[in-house]
């Protein structure tokens, strides 16, 4: 369809129900074009991570279709998908105690030839990914000897080494300090400017407002608002969703919306 042909990642008539549950995610239409940095926001249990896992092919919808570069996701091999799309879950586990460089190198798997040997271009991609994420200084350290933030940056480097066209991230800033949070957003902004499509699940509305082009806001398994941060992050709407009064300010430099709780606690 025309809708699918204009996007890099698209979903139509998507429906998914968790096994043994009556909770249902329903998304009639979703599109992520090239060069867009989009945030997925919403309260706990609203379907954000489930939606991302569906788009990444981790979960299979009961109804509807997902399209990657005008191809049905269901018809794409895992290896071919990995050449186009990188997915970083909110929690990453690795049963083997690999070094940082070994983990980042795994991001090149889909690009290797039949022998599975890395070439100069693969080593260059791994080196760049480690430099961008500041993990080069401890490239020989094993996973068990890393902090939570260092682990997160290592797995982020692994998906950057894939050289994907699309990046899906589920709450990637949780273990990062302020410096590395800001650096991550700058990295993703730079990738978007170079044509990469970026989709990120977040809870931090202010970071989404400051850095993202578009926001899709989920509530009870539905996208209830979509658009620019100015359009979506309205205090009356957010106060209704979160059942908390919200104060709206404007960033003094970018003039983008910043949201804060009123900060007036209970009775003294």
């Amino acid at each position: 369809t025309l809708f699918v042909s204009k996007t890099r990642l698209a979903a139509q008539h998507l429906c998914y129900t968790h096994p043994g549950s009556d909770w249902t995610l329903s998304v009639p239409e979703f599109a992520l074009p090239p060069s867009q940095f989009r945030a997925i926001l919403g309260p706990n249990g609203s379907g954000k991570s489930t939606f991302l896992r569906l788009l990444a092919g981790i979960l299979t919808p009961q109804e509807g279709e997902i399209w990657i570069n005008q191809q049905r996701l269901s018809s794409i091999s895992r290896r071919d998908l990995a050449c186009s799309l990188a997915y970083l879950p909110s929690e990453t586990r690795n049963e083997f105690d690999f070094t940082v460089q070994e983990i980042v190198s795994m991001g090149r798997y889909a690009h290797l030839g039949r022998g599975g040997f890395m070439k100069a271009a693969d080593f260059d991609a791994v080196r760049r990914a480690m430099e961008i994420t500041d993990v080069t200084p401890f490239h020989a350290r094993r996973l068990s000897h890393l902090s939570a933030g260092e682990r997160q940056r290592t797995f982020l480097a692994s998906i950057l080494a894939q050289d994907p066209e699309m990046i899906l991230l589920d709450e990637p800033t949780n273990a990062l300090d302020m410096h590395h949070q800001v650096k991550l957003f700058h990295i993703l902004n730079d990738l978007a400017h170079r044509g990469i499509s970026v989709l990120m699940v977040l809870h931090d509305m202010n970071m989404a407002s400051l850095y993202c082009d578009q926001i899709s806001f989920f509530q009870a398994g539905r996208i209830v608002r979509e658009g620019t941060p100015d359009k979506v992050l309205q205090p009356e709407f957010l106060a209704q969703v979160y059942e908390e009064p919200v104060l709206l300010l404007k960033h003094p430099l970018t003039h983008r919306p910043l949201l804060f709780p009123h900060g007036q606690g209970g009775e003294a």
Side-chain angles (χ1 to χ4, degrees):
T1 66
L2 184 62
F3 165 73
V4 170
S5 67
K6 288 186 175 182
T7 61
R8 182 170 278 163
L9 173 62
Q12 288 184 304
H13 312 300
L14 209 59
C15 187
Y16 179 81
T17 301
H18 286 293
S21 167
D22 57 0
W23 183 94
T24 298
L25 180 139
S26 179
V27 178
E29 194 170 273
F30 177 84
L32 183 68
S35 300
Q36 187 174 98
F37 187 4
R38 181 184 293 238
I40 297 178
L41 302 179
N44 291 336
S46 59
K48 305 182 299 296
S49 295
T50 297
F51 182 60
L52 208 67
R53 287 196 288 267
L54 286 165
L55 296 180
I58 308 300
L59 298 175
T60 303
Q62 282 93 9
E63 297 178 22
E65 200 70 67
I66 298 165
W67 304 80
I68 305 287
N69 289 325
Q70 294 84 57
Q71 282 187 276
R72 285 184 171 86
L73 176 59
S74 56
S75 69
I76 304 174
S77 71
R78 298 305 302 180
R79 188 185 184 98
D80 288 343
L81 180 62
C83 289
S84 300
L85 184 148
Y87 166 68
L88 184 64
S90 57
E91 293 185 10
T92 50
R93 294 184 177 89
N94 202 308
E95 296 181 6
F96 300 98
D97 202 16
F98 292 112
T99 66
V100 168
Q101 184 159 345
E102 287 171 338
I103 291 170
V104 178
S105 296
M106 291 175 190
R108 296 300 300 170
Y109 166 75
H111 297 277
L112 303 184
R114 292 195 175 197
F117 297 108
M118 291 180 58
K119 299 179 180 179
D122 301 305
F123 287 111
D124 285 344
V126 170
R127 177 185 52 77
R128 286 195 309 271
M130 290 196 298
E131 288 176 352
I132 288 170
T133 53
D134 290 337
V135 301
T136 304
F138 48 88
H139 69 278
R141 201 183 302 172
R142 297 201 171 272
L143 198 61
S144 60
H145 296 161
L146 302 180
S147 70
E150 289 168 343
R151 286 170 61 98
Q152 187 73 342
R153 283 153 51 201
T154 297
F155 285 108
L156 175 63
S158 181
I159 70 166
L160 294 181
Q162 282 182 236
D163 284 333
E165 297 175 299
M166 291 156 276
I167 297 177
L168 311 185
L169 307 116
D170 194 353
E171 299 185 38
T173 61
N174 281 357
L176 302 182
D177 59 33
M178 179 183 289
H179 167 71
H180 287 102
Q181 283 190 33
V182 172
K183 181 160 187 176
L184 171 63
F185 280 98
H186 287 166
I187 291 168
L188 296 175
N189 254 329
D190 180 61
L191 291 173
H193 287 147
R194 290 195 275 128
I196 308 298
S197 305
V198 181
L199 184 63
M200 174 192 287
V201 169
L202 280 174
H203 278 293
D204 192 326
M205 291 182 285
N206 289 329
M207 286 301 228
S209 176
L210 289 174
Y211 291 102
C212 295
D213 307 314
Q214 296 281 312
I215 292 172
S216 296
F217 197 98
F218 273 75
Q219 187 177 15
R222 310 289 188 275
I223 297 177
V224 294
R225 283 202 177 193
E226 274 192 314
T228 62
D230 277 308
K231 178 181 176 182
V232 174
L233 299 178
Q234 296 291 326
E236 298 82 6
F237 165 68
L238 296 172
Q240 182 182 26
V241 170
Y242 291 103
E243 300 180 353
E244 290 289 344
V246 176
L247 179 66
L248 172 66
L249 300 176
K250 292 286 185 178
H251 192 284
L253 299 178
T254 67
H255 305 294
R256 291 202 177 196
L258 296 175
L259 289 305
F260 300 93
H262 269 236
Q264 298 175 349
E267 297 180 4

